[in-house]
Amino acid sequence: MDRPIWEGIFQNFHEVKATGKGFESDEWVNNSKAKVEKYFDSLNESNQIPPIPIRPTSLPLVASMNNKSSSSRGGKIIDFGVGVGFSFLNFTQSCTCAKEYEYHIIESINICKLGKEIFSDYQNLFFYTDVKDLPIGKADILYMNSVLQYIADWKLLLRSLLDLKPEYVLLDDVQGGNIPAFATAQNYYDSKIPSWFFNVSEILSFFESCNYTLMFKSKFFSTVLGQIQEIPMSNFPSQYRLDHPCTLLFHR
């Protein structure tokens, strides 16, 4: 029997014993490169409906709706930890106003290096390894997809990002629901990566305290082990299980 994706229930993120390189591993970088190359191969010259995105995202829609207010000064998107341009690719193909935005990605050193190589011809895409390196004072959209759960002090990180005063904050693939918050170990190849499962009310309360209003909420459907399905958590007690992660959209 294959090992489960997540193992253990911990109250504190730092109780999880991390092993391996996780998202700094060669497997992650090589897999990221392969996904981007596959996406490029699926493009055609018809300029019609774009390929299926690498990761499902509502970002192009939010950016399109926001464009009316941002186009006169040039919009800015902050993409924190969403990979080597995974969401940027779908954004550029789906959002007809994409060229009116600056797209700033904050990622690991290896992913930034790879991104700069792959997207060297894109003039509106920028890579950084630290929030402090961002050269902008205000953002239109803060975007995070499947990343908040990997941040030990996620509230501290969000506060630093909210200092950019984004009009919208879009969180996709958040491991949160009507469950007790807990930390666990995620198995990824030879690594064990600490990861949160959230009580979603705690996230909503945090944003409310930062003067953000919840505008949209839904289940998030993505592939798990190669197919769209419920999160495989049968190894956890029922009160800790999620069927699907969620999407949350906030407005300031």
Side-chain angles (χ1 to χ4, degrees):
M1 180 178 179
D2 293 337
R3 64 178 179 174
I5 297 178
W6 298 277
E7 292 180 294
I9 296 173
F10 304 91
Q11 295 303 310
N12 190 296
F13 200 81
H14 298 290
E15 293 177 15
V16 182
K17 185 178 180 180
T19 61
K21 294 184 177 180
F23 297 124
E24 299 286 346
S25 67
D26 291 340
E27 289 89 353
W28 175 249
V29 175
N30 293 335
N31 287 343
S32 297
K33 182 179 180 180
K35 289 177 181 179
V36 171
E37 290 175 344
K38 182 178 180 180
Y39 187 93
F40 277 128
D41 289 342
S42 64
L43 292 175
N44 56 57
E45 298 178 357
S46 64
N47 199 31
Q48 296 297 317
I49 304 301
I52 295 173
I54 296 173
R55 292 193 58 79
T57 172
S58 305
L59 178 61
L61 179 60
V62 175
S64 298
M65 298 296 290
N66 176 68
N67 184 57
K68 182 178 180 180
S69 63
S70 65
S71 59
S72 61
R73 54 183 170 78
K76 296 178 176 64
I77 295 173
I78 306 300
D79 176 328
F80 185 92
V82 189
V84 59
F86 290 164
S87 299
F88 174 77
L89 284 168
N90 185 244
F91 169 71
T92 57
Q93 294 298 313
S94 300
C95 183
T96 59
C97 58
K99 292 183 179 179
E100 298 174 13
Y101 280 92
E102 291 180 5
Y103 201 103
H104 301 263
I105 293 177
I106 305 170
E107 258 290 356
S108 66
I109 293 176
N110 290 337
I111 290 296
C112 285
K113 180 181 178 181
L114 177 62
K116 290 176 181 178
E117 294 173 358
I118 295 176
F119 298 102
S120 59
D121 294 333
Y122 289 78
Q123 301 302 310
N124 65 328
L125 177 62
F126 309 91
F127 287 89
Y128 310 89
T129 58
D130 197 303
V131 177
K132 298 176 182 178
D133 295 332
L134 288 169
I136 62 178
K138 188 176 185 300
D140 289 86
I141 302 169
L142 168 62
Y143 182 57
M144 303 175 76
N145 185 321
S146 189
V147 64
L148 193 65
Q149 49 261 37
Y150 300 113
I151 308 300
D153 193 338
W154 58 274
K155 292 181 181 179
L156 180 63
L157 171 70
L158 282 175
R159 287 192 182 96
S160 68
L161 292 169
L162 294 182
D163 283 343
L164 298 170
K165 302 189 183 305
E167 291 294 323
Y168 292 93
V169 179
L170 176 61
L171 307 178
D172 275 331
D173 198 5
V174 179
Q175 293 176 177
N178 186 25
I179 59 172
F182 68 97
T184 187
Q186 178 177 327
N187 292 308
Y188 179 76
Y189 290 93
D190 295 329
S191 299
K192 286 186 179 294
I193 305 170
S195 175
W196 286 114
F197 276 84
F198 300 104
N199 179 286
V200 74
S201 295
E202 186 176 356
I203 297 176
L204 302 184
S205 296
F206 170 81
F207 276 96
E208 183 178 356
S209 71
C210 296
N211 298 315
Y212 278 82
T213 301
L214 179 67
M215 301 295 291
F216 175 81
K217 56 184 178 179
S218 73
K219 297 285 188 180
F220 181 88
F221 297 94
S222 65
T223 57
V224 180
L225 302 177
Q227 60 182 325
I228 296 177
Q229 60 175 307
E230 292 189 0
I231 300 175
M233 299 183 69
S234 60
N235 57 311
F236 287 92
S238 58
Q239 67 267 32
Y240 291 98
R241 298 176 196 167
L242 281 180
D243 54 1
H244 294 280
C246 64
T247 286
L248 303 170
L249 174 66
F250 300 91
H251 180 255
R252 184 173 64 84

